[in-house]
Amino acid sequence: MAYPLQYGLQDATSPIMEELMHFHDHTLMIVFLISFLVLYVIFAMLSTKLTHTSTMNAQEVETIWTVLPAVILILIALPSLRILYMMDEIYNPTLTVKTMGHQWYWSYEYTDYEDLTFDSYMIPTNELKSGELRLLEVDNRVVLPMDLPIRMLISSEDVLHSWAIPSLGLKTDAIPGRLNQATLSSTRPGLFYGQCSEICGSNHSFMPIVLEVVPLKQFENWSATMI
């Protein structure tokens, strides 16, 4: 999860998030190069009196400043489209979890099991135990197995919500009457925190999401106790 004064993205825990972080660094370097070039040209124009009479009519210069931005846009668009298609693909998920947004809590249903459903409410501040995080802890965590493709079906029963886990690179809107889907796969166990990322009313800030990713054997033991 994020820590105080963090300027970068959270540590990636899924292949998709790793690709997003690489794309972020790739695009940021292009932005830096463009910014430094523009600042250099502005500084040169303000600090020198040298002029060239044919600069304004040079066809070569016009060709360069037309073609170069197009090449830069292609260098940004191609990896962006690649990641976009990767995020939309579903590879035979081994588990499907349906998430419903409410004002103001989440409910979860493991559709591959006969009767495995529960609601997830934020733990009030006065009930937190030592070491627990304010506004981020819930009474029922979503337990998922690691290293397996998992499909999340996301919707809402009242207003717009958004189910977001930054370290997994997930942010999917929960829309009443519409069923959106997302794929996640965690490469390591742990606790991963998120929050509703759509302003959904007065208690919008009190809809945390906690994923507990565990090895497959531990997940099977947990599911057996919940049924």
Side-chain angles (χ1 to χ4, degrees):
M1 62 171 294
Y3 55 84
L5 301 179
Q6 179 178 348
Y7 292 105
L9 300 172
Q10 295 186 24
D11 293 338
T13 187
S14 69
I16 293 296
M17 188 57 189
E18 291 177 1
E19 293 289 338
L20 289 172
M21 292 181 70
H22 292 321
F23 175 68
H24 169 268
D25 296 340
H26 165 75
T27 308
L28 199 61
M29 288 305 301
I30 294 177
V31 172
F32 281 158
L33 291 174
I34 295 174
S35 301
F36 287 136
L37 177 61
V38 172
L39 289 175
Y40 171 75
V41 172
I42 293 175
F43 178 77
M45 292 177 63
L46 295 176
S47 60
T48 182
K49 296 182 180 180
L50 298 176
T51 58
H52 197 285
T53 56
S54 62
T55 301
M56 300 303 295
N57 297 320
Q59 297 296 324
E60 295 82 2
V61 176
E62 292 183 7
T63 302
I64 291 174
W65 71 42
T66 301
V67 173
L68 188 59
V71 173
I72 293 174
L73 290 176
I74 292 174
L75 291 176
I76 295 175
L78 290 181
S80 174
L81 291 174
R82 172 176 167 270
I83 297 174
L84 186 63
Y85 280 103
M86 287 176 60
M87 295 174 67
D88 284 340
E89 290 180 351
I90 304 293
Y91 294 108
N92 296 324
T94 57
L95 182 67
T96 299
V97 181
K98 185 169 73 173
T99 303
M100 297 295 293
H102 307 267
Q103 289 182 311
W104 286 271
Y105 65 96
W106 298 98
S107 61
Y108 299 94
E109 178 184 352
Y110 291 69
T111 59
D112 299 284
Y113 295 84
E114 183 175 354
D115 188 21
L116 182 49
T117 62
F118 55 85
D119 297 329
S120 181
Y121 291 86
M122 186 194 74
I123 299 178
T125 303
N126 58 353
E127 297 179 10
L128 290 175
K129 300 177 182 178
S130 177
E132 293 184 336
L133 302 171
R134 178 177 174 270
L135 300 183
L136 288 177
E137 298 291 347
V138 296
D139 55 356
N140 291 310
R141 296 169 175 169
V142 182
V143 181
L144 298 174
M146 61 179 290
D147 291 328
L148 294 175
I150 299 168
R151 177 173 55 190
M152 302 296 299
L153 301 177
I154 301 165
S155 185
S156 171
E157 286 196 353
D158 37 51
V159 298
L160 291 176
H161 301 281
S162 184
W163 199 82
I165 305 291
S167 59
L168 288 169
L170 286 178
K171 184 178 184 296
T172 304
D173 288 339
I175 304 172
R178 180 186 177 92
L179 197 64
N180 292 330
Q181 71 175 6
T183 306
L184 65 90
S185 178
S186 178
T187 56
R188 55 190 172 91
L191 290 178
F192 306 105
Y193 294 88
Q195 290 178 301
C196 177
S197 297
E198 187 77 44
I199 297 177
C200 56
S202 59
N203 289 336
H204 158 69
S205 302
F206 310 117
M207 290 184 63
I209 304 161
V210 183
L211 296 188
E212 183 176 354
V213 181
V214 298
L216 180 59
K217 184 63 177 178
Q218 188 173 341
F219 171 78
E220 291 175 346
N221 296 335
W222 172 83
S223 60
T225 60
M226 293 291 292
I227 298 177

